[in-house]
Amino acid sequence: MNHLRRIKKSHHLRELSSSSSLNAKKFIQPLFIVEDLKEREAIDGMSGVYRESESSLYKQIESDMNSGVDQFLLFTVPKKKSDTEFSSSFYNKAISGIKKNFPDIFLWLDTCLCSVTTHGHCGHLDSDGTIHNEKSVKRLSNLALLFAESGADGIAPSDMMDGRVASHRNILDSNGFNQIPIMSYSTKFKSNFYGPFRDAAESTPSFGDRSTYQLDVRDRESAIAASVRDEKEGADFLMLKPGMTSIDLILPIREKTNLPLGAYQVSGEYASVELLAKNGFLKREEGLVETWNVFRRAGVSFLISYAAREAKRLFI
Ligand code: PBG
């Protein structure tokens, strides 16, 4: 099976791929699961979004499904940080547990090392202090396979190493997972708008920043080339991030690629709306819908938003 059959596999993927304009069925809700958490914890700046325990997550998914959401992007936060190993039993239990309880949802797994490593960078750190591309890709692909073996429906690589999409496709295909789609964070910038997320995912780099692997906002050509490359490497879905500050790139990327292109309304963007609303500067729901209308106008095929669970109520 390859791309054109893969994206028809489920009604969820057909929604994301359809050329109709942005609507509530095209929203994906991010979720966080934290190993060994006893009670769920609020995330600063993002009301209604939590670091979840296994049991609180099940309740949240149930309530989200009642609100009309059936696609999720899961961030896994292991307790023990390691630069060589994975908390396989945590991933396995978390992912298979969700799918067992909610077989009808589509569960994307964010695939990155920043919540895993001792240093919070998205890849493998060499002794000279640089992120080694090939070692990173190898480890990330092993994580993608572990997610697939645990029951993930889709893989969403967010690390921005070179060659990770091809490597993930290869390891999935050669282990009997050729039906699993890859939604690549294909045009992902180094950004100041990921702040609330990093607290939630325990992924703040302990030194430096991510500018040696994430895109530079000043570099338009590389930003477009990165999505073009991921299509060539075998991605099934492309994505821009942060959404609002990449809005000008949606059309140029669509012109140069033939894959469904989504955007991620990231934590800092969501928190901005929340903060303005808290201070009485805008009406929260109207502010959110305005941003979604802009994404629709700009031509995205799908949207990842922390307020996805409100889309059915507020949006077409
Ligand atoms: C992991 C990852 C990040 C986000 C999604 N996956 C953080 C980062 O790259 O530093 C950001 C999501 C958000 O801010 O909502 N690499």
Side-chain angles (χ1 to χ4, degrees):
M1 188 189 292
N2 52 33
H3 171 71
L4 285 177
R5 288 251 9 243
R6 220 162 20 234
I7 62 166
K8 294 194 209 82
K9 198 191 123 211
S10 69
H11 66 92
H12 308 95
L13 298 179
R14 295 193 295 271
E15 291 295 345
L16 299 190
S17 314
S18 92
S19 306
S20 52
S21 61
L22 189 63
N23 62 65
K25 289 193 183 131
K26 289 170 160 283
F27 276 64
I28 302 174
Q29 176 70 51
L31 298 169
F32 298 89
I33 185 164
V34 183
E35 186 175 11
D36 278 353
L37 202 65
K38 296 287 166 277
E39 263 176 54
R40 74 178 191 173
E41 296 172 359
I43 299 169
D44 265 1
M46 299 207 288
S47 69
V49 188
Y50 296 87
R51 286 161 45 88
E52 307 278 3
S53 69
E54 201 178 285
S55 60
S56 71
L57 185 68
Y58 293 169
K59 283 190 203 126
Q60 183 65 58
I61 295 176
E62 201 171 332
S63 123
D64 288 347
M65 288 180 74
N66 290 333
S67 310
V69 181
D70 59 4
Q71 299 212 44
F72 299 89
L73 173 60
L74 184 67
F75 293 93
T76 46
V77 187
K79 188 166 162 189
K80 187 170 154 266
K81 308 300 174 195
S82 167
D83 300 327
T84 49
E85 287 165 28
F86 289 125
S87 310
S88 316
S89 58
F90 162 58
Y91 297 128
N92 210 286
K93 193 157 170 281
I95 299 166
S96 65
I98 295 170
K99 283 301 294 182
K100 206 166 133 225
N101 281 281
F102 305 100
D104 296 338
I105 66 169
F106 199 93
L107 188 64
W108 295 96
L109 260 288
D110 181 276
T111 307
C112 193
L113 297 179
C114 58
S115 297
V116 177
T117 53
T118 56
H119 43 76
H121 277 290
C122 302
H124 176 89
L125 188 68
D126 257 352
S127 48
D128 65 0
T130 59
I131 303 296
H132 191 288
N133 195 76
E134 281 63 37
K135 289 180 193 162
S136 303
V137 169
K138 191 156 192 288
R139 192 155 182 239
L140 285 155
S141 298
N142 289 333
L143 185 60
L145 180 59
L146 187 53
F147 287 163
E149 288 167 343
S150 304
D153 294 307
I155 294 296
S158 72
D159 53 281
M160 292 307 277
M161 298 301 140
D162 283 350
R164 91 270 204 214
V165 171
S167 172
H168 290 4
R169 190 68 272 154
N170 187 32
I171 201 167
L172 291 172
D173 287 356
S174 47
N175 285 280
F177 295 109
N178 71 356
Q179 83 286 6
I180 290 194
I182 295 176
M183 175 172 71
S184 176
Y185 289 73
S186 52
T187 294
K188 172 171 173 179
F189 290 103
K190 174 190 169 282
S191 169
N192 291 289
F193 286 89
Y194 305 148
F197 170 92
R198 289 194 184 155
D199 286 346
E202 301 170 8
S203 67
T204 309
S206 58
F207 67 93
D209 61 24
R210 307 208 198 287
S211 46
T212 65
Y213 42 99
Q214 296 183 345
L215 293 160
D216 186 322
V217 292
R218 299 167 300 176
D219 183 354
R220 184 175 191 272
E221 297 315 316
S222 298
I224 297 169
S227 276
V228 171
R229 175 188 67 180
D230 284 3
E231 174 173 32
K232 285 209 186 88
E233 285 191 18
D236 299 291
F237 297 87
L238 302 175
M239 194 216 298
L240 294 125
K241 171 177 172 215
M244 288 301 262
T245 55
S246 311
I247 211 95
D248 60 309
L249 296 172
I250 291 169
L251 191 59
I253 292 175
R254 289 195 61 151
E255 279 168 357
K256 290 214 163 72
T257 59
N258 291 302
L259 295 179
L261 173 65
Y264 194 146
Q265 181 170 44
V266 298
S267 58
E269 298 177 79
Y270 176 70
S272 315
V273 174
E274 292 270 303
L275 270 173
L276 287 168
K278 267 200 190 93
N279 286 287
F281 293 123
L282 56 69
K283 294 199 179 96
R284 181 180 172 281
E285 294 180 350
E286 287 180 22
L288 279 172
V289 171
E290 180 177 332
T291 62
W292 296 344
N293 275 321
V294 173
F295 282 116
R296 171 159 50 201
R297 188 187 71 211
V300 291
S301 290
F302 61 94
L303 192 67
I304 302 169
S305 168
Y306 292 95
R309 55 176 67 104
E310 296 176 74
K312 191 174 173 201
R313 182 169 58 86
L314 299 176
F315 204 53
I316 303 163

